[in-house]
Amino acid sequence: MPITLVNPSGLPEIDAYRQVSIATGSKLVFVAGQVSWDADGVTVGEGDLAAQVEQCYHNVATALAEVGATFDDVAKLTLYVVDWTPDKMPQLMEGITRAAAKLGAAPVPPASLLGVAALDVPEHLVELEATAVID
């Protein structure tokens, strides 16, 4: 596994992610931002942030699997959430928790969360992009 995740002393420990990742693989994998579409392009969980987050993680896992990677190979995640406010954190975490349970892995690499005004279409509430490293 080319990724080592670290929570350095002197920085807060966050359950949802680690503060640092060390990548030692030889190939970078960049996964385009994934929204809550199913394989047919139909939005999953319209109006439901947790359901959309869960679908985004599943879509990233599908993209990673296509190139022989898993969430264990992810060095960095970036989440874009429409009209983000801190009161949405429980819904976001619920979606991540449900995805982790179904994927059998806790996707906890370093992550950034950015609030945005809008995404590609009005029904999409979240987009998730990933950078992975594989041998």
Side-chain angles (χ1 to χ4, degrees), residues 6-96:
V6 179
N7 267 328
S9 60
L11 293 177
E13 283 197 30
I14 309 294
D15 289 338
Y17 63 90
R18 301 301 175 263
Q19 296 282 4
V20 176
S21 66
I22 303 164
T24 57
S26 59
K27 296 178 187 174
L28 292 175
V29 177
F30 299 95
V31 178
Q34 296 297 305
V35 294
S36 62
W37 280 328
D38 65 12
D40 296 319
V42 176
T43 298
V44 173
E46 191 167 340
D48 183 341
L49 180 60
Q52 289 199 19
V53 168
E54 180 180 0
Q55 183 65 38
C56 289
Y57 273 85
H58 288 293
N59 290 350
V60 167
T62 298
L64 291 169
E66 183 67 22
V67 298
T70 70
F71 269 100
D72 289 336
D73 301 306
V74 173
K76 176 78 169 70
L77 292 172
T78 304
L79 291 118
Y80 302 91
V81 182
V82 173
D83 297 326
W84 175 257
T85 55
D87 64 308
K88 294 181 181 179
M89 186 61 80
Q91 296 169 1
L92 181 91
M93 293 308 299
E94 178 185 339
I96 293 170

